[in-house]
Amino acid sequence: MKQEKIDNLVEEAINIKPNSYSPYSNFRVGAAIEMNDGELFTGVNIENVSFGATNCAERSAIFTAISQGYQPKTIKAIAVSGDTDEFLPPCSICRQVMVEFCEPKTPVYLTRKDGKVLETSVEGLVPFAFSTMDM
């Protein structure tokens, strides 16, 4: 991906973060995904007093894209933003969702509050992932 596109995707993840509904943890997370056709979707973490009912930003963005008619394996890139000193990786549930809906080489851009960005991939986050392709 061109640097300008990466910067735009990261900026989308940062800009959506204030929409997080996180009254219990006060831990805001924003995510942005770019589809293969260039369409962008964003998501935030949405908490519930029953933490099991909480949805992460990454899944919010992915599920929105799928609900709009996109098919698995059509995600071009993902950016995740939190207000953290270290790079904020997706939780394991989000990683497994990424395995289902992304190609292994799909780039994932992780941010930290000082503005630095780390590029990894779905495969880098889940090196021994299983999928329906393995069954």
Side-chain angles (χ1 to χ4, degrees):
M1 258 177 100
K2 292 183 178 179
Q3 190 61 49
E4 182 180 329
K5 291 285 234 172
I6 294 168
D7 293 345
N8 183 55
L9 191 65
V10 167
E11 189 173 323
E12 289 287 333
I14 292 168
N15 289 343
I16 196 68
K17 195 170 32 181
N19 293 351
S20 166
Y21 179 75
S22 48
Y24 308 106
S25 70
N26 294 310
F27 187 76
R28 299 176 307 150
V29 180
I33 61 173
E34 181 178 349
M35 308 309 289
N36 286 335
D37 67 1
E39 188 74 27
L40 294 178
F41 291 93
T42 57
V44 294
N45 57 317
I46 302 170
E47 294 181 348
N48 187 280
V49 69
S50 167
F51 273 106
T54 294
N55 202 49
C56 297
E58 302 91 327
R59 284 182 284 144
S60 292
I62 292 169
F63 294 166
T64 299
I66 297 302
S67 72
Q68 295 300 309
Y70 285 87
Q71 297 300 306
K73 312 302 184 191
T74 60
I75 296 172
K76 183 176 182 177
I78 301 172
V80 182
S81 176
D83 296 322
T84 54
D85 292 328
E86 299 300 323
F87 296 110
L88 180 62
C91 76
S92 292
I93 295 172
C94 288
R95 292 177 196 206
Q96 186 59 48
V97 169
M98 288 177 184
V99 167
E100 183 84 13
F101 292 102
C102 300
E103 295 290 349
K105 302 289 185 202
T106 301
V108 179
Y109 302 99
L110 307 177
T111 70
R112 58 187 197 195
K113 67 182 176 184
D114 67 2
K116 301 249 189 239
V117 178
L118 172 71
E119 180 179 347
T120 186
S121 64
V122 171
E123 185 176 55
L125 291 170
V126 194
F128 298 105
F130 65 91
S131 71
T132 56
M133 304 305 265
D134 298 331
M135 296 180 175

